[in-house]
Amino acid sequence: SREARPGVDPWLQESRCPRPRDAHPARKPRSRTQGFMGATVSQLAIILQEAIILLLPCFRRSSKQRRIHWRARSELNNDYRGQRVHVPFWRVPWENDWPDYDPVDFTHPVVKKQPVWADPADPRVIDFSTRASFEGPIKVVNGRPLNPLGRTGTKGRGLLGKWGPNNAADPIVLRRKPGGPWDARGVPGNVVMQMVAIQRKDSGQWAIPGGMVDAGEHVSQTLRREFTEEAATLPSPAEQRQVEQALDEVFKNGHLVYEGYVDDPRNTDNAWMETTARVFFIEDSLAEQL
């Protein structure tokens, strides 16, 4: 019952005006208790509760998998390209059922040739109760040990020689930055430490000059041997002997900083890296030689 405005076509005027609600009999006004996509508040509460119950196991072992178990699900190592199925973080824990999980069975040809550092191809001949892991007792299913951090998208050994934990040793060798003390911006004030690092040939990434623990070898021997091989080899025999004598003193004492699982891109569901990392400090004179 609107009056037509002068000079405006009544049809145009009507077409620009909204129609009353009863002109849309199929469209019902939304109730105050309705929420997203027409669901009631009580229905949304039930959905949210069920989602929390479903995802809660992912967060109980919680951020550990999400924090250090992403490289083990990646294809950062070129030899693993196309050798993994995608594993989202909530599917990582073994406790979360995944009946359709079908990882790629991958053992690198180098490992299949059975070099001296590799285990037998059949893990059922191995007594895993005699092997130790920093992550606790080794769980074995169908004759194969299970990665303690969860699924990786690949089963088998990949590039790793051992079923289960493959033990490494990483020496973190530090010196005080020359000319200091400095702070992080190069301003005198605080001590800045520098670390010996190597650049890996397989990935181009910078790494600690560590390596695998040989059978029957003590970790301290591995730390010393790997550092010498990767970061302390000099062209002069005389200088080499002098450096090795100095390193004998350096590696007598070290501070343990980590023992445990390594989030390594070579890890699989049945073989994984663990390491012992120790810190060693060297004097300026030895640092200059290196």
Side-chain angles (χ1 to χ4, degrees):
S1 60
R2 293 182 297 274
E3 294 182 0
R5 286 176 288 172
V8 178
D9 189 305
W11 184 86
L12 290 175
Q13 183 176 330
E14 179 64 25
S15 66
R16 293 176 182 177
C17 296
R19 285 185 274 182
R21 282 187 177 271
D22 56 5
H24 300 279
R27 182 184 300 171
K28 296 181 180 180
R30 175 170 291 187
S31 167
R32 290 183 179 179
T33 60
Q34 282 184 314
F36 180 68
M37 295 182 67
T40 65
V41 172
S42 59
Q43 288 173 332
L44 286 174
I46 294 173
I47 294 171
L48 180 61
Q49 182 181 13
E50 291 178 348
I52 292 174
I53 293 173
L54 177 65
L55 294 176
L56 189 59
C58 303
F59 296 96
R60 281 179 178 158
R61 291 184 65 189
S62 82
S63 57
K64 192 172 185 182
Q65 282 95 350
R66 291 175 286 141
R67 186 174 67 252
I68 67 170
H69 197 63
W70 71 271
R71 290 179 181 272
R73 294 178 283 141
S74 73
E75 295 182 355
L76 290 174
N77 189 298
N78 291 331
D79 289 311
Y80 284 68
R81 295 289 173 87
Q83 303 295 341
R84 291 195 190 278
V85 298
H86 175 64
V87 180
F89 81 88
W90 63 85
R91 296 285 197 183
V92 168
W94 296 110
E95 296 83 16
N96 292 355
D97 290 336
W98 190 0
D100 297 330
Y101 179 58
D102 186 22
V104 179
D105 197 340
F106 170 59
T107 298
H108 197 276
V110 171
V111 180
K112 287 183 176 180
K113 291 180 180 179
Q114 290 302 118
V116 294
W117 43 267
D119 276 342
D122 186 357
R124 291 173 295 183
V125 303
I126 301 172
D127 181 7
F128 288 100
S129 65
T130 63
R131 296 192 175 184
S133 169
F134 292 121
E135 300 298 323
I138 299 173
K139 185 177 181 180
V140 180
V141 176
N142 297 326
R144 293 188 174 192
L146 290 184
N147 188 310
L149 267 291
R151 300 180 177 94
T152 66
T154 302
K155 62 183 179 181
R157 283 178 290 170
L159 276 169
L160 301 178
K162 305 292 185 184
W163 293 100
N166 289 252
N167 295 104
D170 290 298
I172 303 172
V173 178
L174 304 176
R175 75 165 180 182
R176 186 192 300 261
K177 183 178 179 181
W182 313 92
D183 67 8
R185 297 169 298 172
V187 178
N190 297 320
V191 174
V192 173
M193 305 303 294
Q194 294 179 321
M195 185 190 81
V196 177
I198 60 169
Q199 192 170 24
R200 296 183 60 92
K201 293 181 179 179
D202 57 352
S203 64
Q205 295 182 333
W206 289 95
I208 299 170
M212 306 302 295
V213 179
D214 292 338
E217 185 179 42
H218 193 271
V219 171
S220 60
Q221 295 174 304
T222 307
L223 292 164
R224 170 73 168 76
R225 172 178 56 80
E226 288 293 335
F227 183 81
T228 303
E229 291 177 357
E230 298 192 18
T233 301
L234 304 178
S236 169
E239 288 183 335
Q240 184 67 38
R241 285 192 299 271
Q242 185 179 2
V243 166
E244 290 189 4
Q245 289 175 358
L247 289 177
D248 288 339
E249 294 298 320
V250 170
F251 280 88
K252 281 183 179 179
N253 299 300
H255 302 276
L256 178 66
V257 293
Y258 181 75
E259 286 181 330
Y261 181 89
V262 179
D263 186 19
D264 194 287
R266 296 169 293 179
N267 291 354
T268 72
D269 289 359
N270 313 119
W272 60 92
M273 289 295 303
E274 297 187 8
T275 194
T276 299
R278 288 182 176 270
V279 171
F280 302 90
F281 295 91
I282 58 176
E283 299 296 331
D284 291 345
S285 58
L286 177 57
E288 289 299 324
Q289 286 181 291
L290 294 177

